[in-house]
């Protein structure tokens, strides 16, 4: 979507109702009236020291330059190894991966990787060598394709037009956890998804502000924004101030929520595919990835479903928010009368899209559409009774 | 500040101020009122500015503050004045319709997107102008684009 064009066309129609001279005349008149109504001011008329306009030039450093970090290159080894190491299983986060790259000012520390046949998560931190927090992130928000490079002691997202790399910026979020000492740690979480030659990679950057208090965190636009009025959920998970609980889902950890549910989805959108049978819901710690696996054969063969959320929580409760929509689809289908029914009889709308990965692999994504925009949707996974797709109900086995 | 300098700044930035104001108040008459107040404030402002960029950022901040004051002080008209509506050409209709969709976003998203895509500000420049952290601006841009895209598609404007 061409946002440049949208905004240029739309706002070009909005012009001041008066011309510059009229505006100036009106302002001068009003200023004159004001001065007549007030005591004479000291003559301290503002002087605008007009200097050459400071233009922040667009960066021209190419990816892969000496100062740049090319994530294609950085993660190349993992991309290669993924086929062997990550096939047929969902791996636990491999925290033994110790890998550091650095330049003069920054150090990227890879803390662990985890992944599946189609997904890989690389969790890493970028730290300044002088020990100061990395606070001077400078970002562009590209439409697609970008890599992280460093220039002038600033981290910047750079565009790349390599068609093989598709990226969707997941945005920047503030998250906080309560550490083992009971202190709040605030993370600035940068996330991005890469589709590289049909495989999807997710990169998270966490920027830690250990000095921040919970009140600081509240002030930052997480809780003050109506979009994320999830304070209630937050307290339910982590406890109120003064009653700090340690999250039982460690960040970067992967865990099985403990569901062994089975149901069959008629995959009539792609007739050549076999019917799907869900075997297990597995969720990584952050973000939640729930794989509805196919017929006990693992997720490698054929299609599988993904529900993506952003947080897992205690008690098997799944919190799904807008982050679930990050998976884009190249092929989408209209669905009507499609929802999840919980055991209490309530229906929760879902949106289903199908991603055509490489022409042979299809992926069915189930999204809780209620959660788009402003609502935070909480669904107890244990309570799911059935899926209804296009009016056809598939109860859990 | 003399009249000549004021005229120069109005010529340079009246569009910007008008657009930012419009993002908040959603109608041109109020946007125009806000704009005049902002330039009046500029004219009577007693401190000096470092450069034009400094003035520009100051204008954006003051515009937003004025708009918030206006919105909180009285009920804003939500209708388009007749004389304004009559002036909308057929060619402009689609742009105005798209603009109406943009106006359904939250003001903070509208302003961030406008400054990024129309004014060509970088994230850091927007952050400075709005007195926000860069991360907040990045989030606004990301969420704003996402919501706008969904709204435009929903309204049938998927040809952009």
């Amino acid at each position: 979507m061409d946002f440049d064009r949208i905004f240029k066309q739309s706002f070009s129609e909005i012009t001041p109702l008066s011309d510059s001279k009229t505006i100036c005349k009106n302002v001068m008149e009003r200023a004159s009236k004001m001065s007549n109504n007030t005591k004479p001011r000291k003559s301290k008329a503002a002087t605008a020291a007009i200097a050459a306009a400071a233009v922040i030039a667009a960066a021209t450093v190419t990816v892969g330059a000496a100062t740049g970090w090319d994530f294609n290159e950085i993660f190349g080894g993992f991309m290669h190894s993924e086929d062997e190491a990550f096939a047929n299983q969902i791996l636990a986060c491999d925290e033994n991966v110790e890998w550091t790259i650095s330049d003069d000012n920054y150090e990227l520390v890879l803390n662990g990787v985890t992944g599946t046949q189609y997904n890989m998560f690389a969790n890493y931190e970028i730290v300044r060598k002088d020990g100061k927090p990395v606070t001077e992130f400078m970002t562009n928000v590209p439409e697609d394709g970008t890599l992280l490079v460093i220039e002038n002691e600033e981290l910047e997202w750079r565009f790349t037009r390599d068609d093989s790399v598709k990226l969707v910026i997941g945005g920047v979020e503030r998250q906080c956890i309560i550490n083992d000492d009971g202190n709040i740690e605030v993370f600035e979480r940068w996330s991005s998804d890469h589709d590289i030659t049909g495989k999807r990679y997710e990169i998270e950057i966490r920027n830690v502000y250990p000095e921040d208090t919970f009140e600081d965190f509240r002030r930052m636009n997480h809780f003050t924004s109506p979009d994320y009025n999830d304070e209630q959920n937050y307290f339910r998970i982590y406890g109120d101030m003064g009653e700090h609980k340690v999250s039982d889902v460690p960040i970067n950890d992967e865990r099985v929520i403990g569901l062994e549910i089975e149901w069959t989805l008629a995959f009539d959108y792609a007739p050549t595919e076999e019917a799907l049978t869900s075997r297990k819901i597995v969720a990584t710690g952050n973000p939640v990835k729930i794989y509805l696996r196919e017929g006990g054969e693992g997720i490698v063969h054929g299609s599988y479903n993904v529900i993506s959320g952003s947080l897992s929580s205690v008690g098997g409760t799944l919190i799904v928010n807008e982050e679930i929509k990050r998976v884009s689809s190249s092929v989408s289908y209209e669905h009507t009368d499609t929802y999840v029914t919980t055991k209490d009889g309530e229906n929760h709308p879902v949106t289903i899209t199908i991603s055509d990965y490489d022409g042979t692999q299809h992926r069915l994504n189930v999204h809780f559409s209620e959660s788009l925009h402003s609502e935070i949707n909480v669904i107890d996974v244990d309570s799911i009774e059935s899926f209804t797709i296009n009016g056809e109900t598939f109860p859990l086995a | 500040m003399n009249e000549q300098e004021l005229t120069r700044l109005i010529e340079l930035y009246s569009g910007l101020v008008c657009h930012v104001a419009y993002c908040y108040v959603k109608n041109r008459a109020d946007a125009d009122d806000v704009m005049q107040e902002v330039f009046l404030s500029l004219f009577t402002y007693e401190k000096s500015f470092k450069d034009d960029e400094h003035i520009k950022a100051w204008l954006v901040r003051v515009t937003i503050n004025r708009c918030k004051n206006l919105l909180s002080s009285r009920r804003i008209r939500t209708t388009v004045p007749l004389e304004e509506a009559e002036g909308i050409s057929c060619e402009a209709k689609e742009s105005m319709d798209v603009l109406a969709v943009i106006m359904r976003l939250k003001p903070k998203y509208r302003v961030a997107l406008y400054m990024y895509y129309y004014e060509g500000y970088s994230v850091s420049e927007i952050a400075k102008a709005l007195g926000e952290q860069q991360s907040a601006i990045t989030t606004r841009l990301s969420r704003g684009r996402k919501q706008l895209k969904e709204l435009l598609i929903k309204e049938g404007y998927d040809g952009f």
Side-chain angles (χ1 to χ4, degrees):
Chain A
M1 190 162 277
D2 188 347
F3 288 101
D4 271 321
R5 191 177 137 216
I6 288 169
F7 277 84
K8 293 237 169 13
Q9 279 187 2
S10 300
F11 277 89
S12 63
E13 304 294 335
I14 306 298
T15 53
L17 296 175
S18 313
D19 61 32
S20 298
K21 285 184 179 173
T22 307
I23 297 168
C24 186
K25 180 170 165 282
N26 292 341
V27 168
M28 299 289 285
E29 282 177 5
R30 289 178 65 179
S32 174
K33 286 178 186 172
M34 280 173 60
S35 63
N36 290 337
N37 292 335
T38 56
K39 293 177 182 178
R41 292 183 173 185
K42 290 181 181 177
S43 179
K44 286 172 63 181
T47 303
I50 308 300
V55 178
I56 298 179
T60 56
V61 175
T62 57
V63 173
T67 56
W69 290 350
D70 185 335
F71 276 67
N72 267 328
E73 185 180 337
I74 290 170
F75 290 110
F78 294 101
M79 290 161 61
H80 177 70
S81 64
E82 183 202 65
D83 287 338
E84 297 166 10
F86 296 158
N88 297 316
Q89 57 184 323
I90 298 171
L91 295 182
C93 183
D94 183 2
E95 294 179 349
N96 294 321
V97 174
E98 292 181 358
W99 183 52
T100 300
I101 60 171
S102 62
D103 70 359
D104 292 338
N105 302 302
Y106 293 88
E107 195 169 75
L108 183 150
V109 182
L110 185 68
N111 295 319
V113 294
T114 185
T116 70
Q117 171 75 1
Y118 300 104
N119 300 278
M120 188 179 84
F121 311 99
N123 299 307
Y124 58 88
E125 294 177 80
I126 295 174
V127 295
R128 283 172 53 140
K129 285 188 170 176
D130 59 9
K132 294 178 182 175
V134 178
T135 57
E136 60 272 63
F137 277 119
M138 183 174 176
T139 63
N140 288 316
V141 184
E143 288 298 314
D144 59 12
T146 192
L147 297 172
L148 190 68
V149 296
I150 293 175
E151 185 191 32
N152 298 328
E153 298 191 355
E154 288 189 324
L155 294 170
E156 297 194 21
W157 292 100
R158 303 279 193 229
F159 287 94
T160 173
R161 291 301 176 192
D162 181 354
D163 287 339
S164 69
V165 179
K166 294 293 182 191
L167 176 140
V168 176
I169 289 289
V172 182
E173 291 182 348
R174 300 264 182 183
Q175 294 182 344
C176 70
I177 62 165
I178 297 157
N179 63 24
D180 290 340
D181 300 325
N183 298 319
I184 299 280
E185 287 187 358
V186 178
F187 293 85
E188 191 170 75
R189 174 175 166 269
W190 303 64
S191 61
S192 61
D193 298 343
H194 294 255
D195 274 4
I196 302 174
T197 58
K199 290 172 182 167
R200 187 159 165 266
Y201 299 85
E202 179 167 308
I203 293 174
E204 283 190 17
I205 300 173
R206 285 159 185 249
N207 195 12
V208 183
Y209 295 90
E211 297 86 5
D212 281 353
T213 66
F214 181 65
E215 286 306 312
D216 292 330
F217 177 66
R218 283 171 57 85
R219 278 197 296 274
M220 290 183 288
N221 58 27
H222 201 71
F223 287 155
T224 55
S225 164
D227 289 352
Y228 283 86
N229 187 23
D230 55 352
E231 186 171 7
Q232 188 177 352
N233 290 328
Y234 178 84
F235 286 131
R236 187 176 55 73
I237 301 166
Y238 294 113
D240 204 336
M241 284 296 288
E243 311 176 30
H244 297 161
K245 299 174 185 175
V246 177
S247 165
D248 75 339
V249 183
I251 299 296
N252 300 338
D253 191 11
E254 177 184 306
R255 61 184 294 146
V256 176
I257 285 184
L259 297 176
E260 285 285 350
I261 58 175
E262 292 187 9
W263 69 83
T264 301
L265 302 177
F267 202 51
D268 53 357
Y269 325 105
T272 57
E273 298 289 344
E274 295 177 1
L276 293 175
T277 301
S278 166
R279 299 289 296 174
K280 184 183 286 186
I281 288 183
V282 179
T284 55
N286 185 10
V288 174
K289 297 288 176 189
I290 298 177
Y291 300 94
L292 310 181
R293 302 168 77 176
E294 180 196 12
E297 297 297 322
I299 60 171
V300 178
H301 307 292
S303 305
Y304 65 101
N305 305 334
V306 175
I307 302 175
S308 301
S310 66
L311 272 176
S312 58
S313 66
V314 291
T317 298
L318 171 67
I319 297 178
V320 184
N321 72 13
E322 67 178 19
E323 288 297 310
I324 62 172
K325 200 117 188 296
R326 66 167 47 143
V327 179
S328 60
S329 61
S330 56
V331 181
S332 64
Y333 294 80
E334 287 294 327
H335 296 271
T336 58
D337 199 13
T338 297
Y339 48 86
V340 163
T341 303
T342 50
K343 288 174 181 172
D344 58 9
E346 288 193 21
N347 294 337
H348 300 268
V350 296
T351 299
I352 296 181
T353 59
I354 295 176
S355 299
D356 188 346
Y357 251 44
D358 59 5
T360 58
Q361 299 286 348
H362 297 271
R363 188 166 69 175
L364 186 66
N365 302 316
V366 182
H367 299 314
F368 290 85
S369 58
E370 275 184 333
S371 63
L372 297 180
H373 301 312
S374 59
E375 292 183 39
I376 298 294
N377 196 12
V378 179
I379 296 177
D380 185 345
V381 179
D382 284 327
S383 72
I384 295 177
E385 180 80 11
S386 63
F387 267 137
T388 298
I389 299 177
N390 282 343
E392 188 173 0
T393 301
F394 303 96
L396 301 190
Chain B
M1 182 177 294
N2 58 33
E3 185 176 347
Q4 188 181 8
E5 177 63 5
L6 177 65
T7 305
R8 185 187 76 83
L9 294 173
I10 288 172
E11 283 175 355
L12 267 178
Y13 299 128
S14 58
L16 167 71
V17 172
C18 183
H19 288 160
V20 171
Y22 190 90
C23 283
Y24 273 83
V25 298
K26 295 187 182 180
N27 73 76
R28 294 171 73 181
D30 283 323
D32 220 55
D33 288 346
V34 168
M35 182 182 65
Q36 295 214 11
E37 280 191 30
V38 169
F39 282 111
L40 177 63
S41 298
L42 176 68
F43 186 63
T44 57
Y45 192 62
E46 296 188 348
K47 294 180 182 174
S48 60
F49 295 95
K50 285 186 290 188
D51 50 31
D52 269 10
E53 291 302 311
H54 188 195
I55 294 175
K56 197 173 172 184
W58 184 91
L59 285 170
V60 170
R61 269 206 295 270
V62 171
T63 302
I64 291 172
N65 289 338
R66 295 281 176 191
C67 289
K68 286 179 177 175
N69 290 344
L70 183 69
L71 290 168
S72 61
S73 65
R74 66 182 172 87
R75 191 176 175 184
I76 287 293
R77 293 189 300 272
T78 55
T79 53
V80 178
L82 187 60
E83 63 274 17
E84 193 174 314
E86 285 172 347
I88 299 173
S89 65
C90 292
E91 292 76 16
K93 180 71 168 52
E94 184 174 347
S95 296
M96 296 303 285
D97 288 344
V98 173
L99 185 64
V101 176
I102 293 171
M103 289 300 135
R104 285 159 62 185
L105 297 172
K106 288 184 170 59
K108 64 181 181 181
Y109 293 162
R110 294 199 292 263
V111 170
L113 288 168
Y114 161 77
M115 293 178 76
Y116 188 82
Y117 287 108
Y118 189 91
E119 293 291 338
Y121 272 40
S122 69
V123 170
S124 64
E125 287 173 308
I126 299 171
K128 280 178 189 169
L130 301 183
E132 300 278 0
Q133 291 191 12
Q134 289 183 32
S135 58
I137 302 304
T138 308
T139 305
R140 288 178 194 181
L141 288 170
S142 178
R143 289 179 186 155
R145 284 186 315 147
K146 182 179 172 186
Q147 290 184 17
L148 179 59
K149 186 176 179 182
E150 288 169 359
L151 286 170
L152 287 170
I153 290 172
K154 191 178 173 185
E155 296 295 328
Y157 295 104
D158 50 359
F160 283 100

